[in-house]
Structures are given as C-alpha cells and as structure tokens.
Amino acid sequence: AIARCKEECYSKDDYGLTPLIYLMYICADYNAIEYMVQIGGRKLLFIKDKNGWNALHHACNLGDEAIIYIFSH
C-alpha cells in the first residue's frame, strides 16, 4: 500500500499539479502534508508544474508559514 501511495504522490494532472499541491490548497492538513513528504521523499517538493512552480513556490504563494516550515525541515 505504501508503494502505491508513493507512486501516486508523483502523479500530475493536466496542469502539472501533484496531490501534494492540491492538499496544500484544498485543506492545508499539516499532518497529511508532512506524511506525504515522508512517504514521497524530499524530491516530491521539487516537481515543477507547467508554469515552472514547485511545491515550495505554491506554499509561498499561499503565505502558509507552517507548510514552508515543514518543507524546510
């Protein structure tokens, strides 16, 4: 089950957005975000969407310091 979850963490929609990015915008569940990064690995943070933004760019755009903290530690 974890292998499937890890694989799905790296999926993208037509805009290049990953489940992590949707999770940040839709519910900002910090525990779920932290868990997804643990399962998917830190390289999950650097996947770029079609505009060249990665998860950290989106977190900064949201202005969510808690998410930025999770990504930086």
Side-chain angles (χ1 to χ4, degrees):
I2 291 178
R4 182 172 177 226
C5 179
K6 185 173 183 177
E7 180 180 315
E8 289 177 6
C9 286
Y10 288 90
S11 65
K12 292 183 176 184
D13 69 5
D14 292 339
Y15 302 100
L17 301 176
T18 64
L20 176 61
I21 293 169
Y22 276 106
L23 187 60
M24 290 179 345
Y25 279 103
I26 293 171
C27 67
D29 181 332
Y30 303 124
N31 291 326
I33 290 168
E34 190 170 24
Y35 181 72
M36 187 175 283
V37 172
Q38 287 175 354
I39 294 295
R42 298 215 34 96
K43 70 180 186 175
L44 182 65
L45 305 177
F46 302 102
I47 297 172
K48 293 183 180 178
D49 65 17
K50 290 196 173 188
N51 293 317
W53 281 27
N54 62 34
L56 183 58
H57 292 115
H58 286 281
C60 291
N61 186 55
L62 285 168
D64 194 319
E65 293 178 16
I67 295 174
I68 294 167
Y69 179 84
I70 290 168
F71 290 173
S72 65
H73 290 86

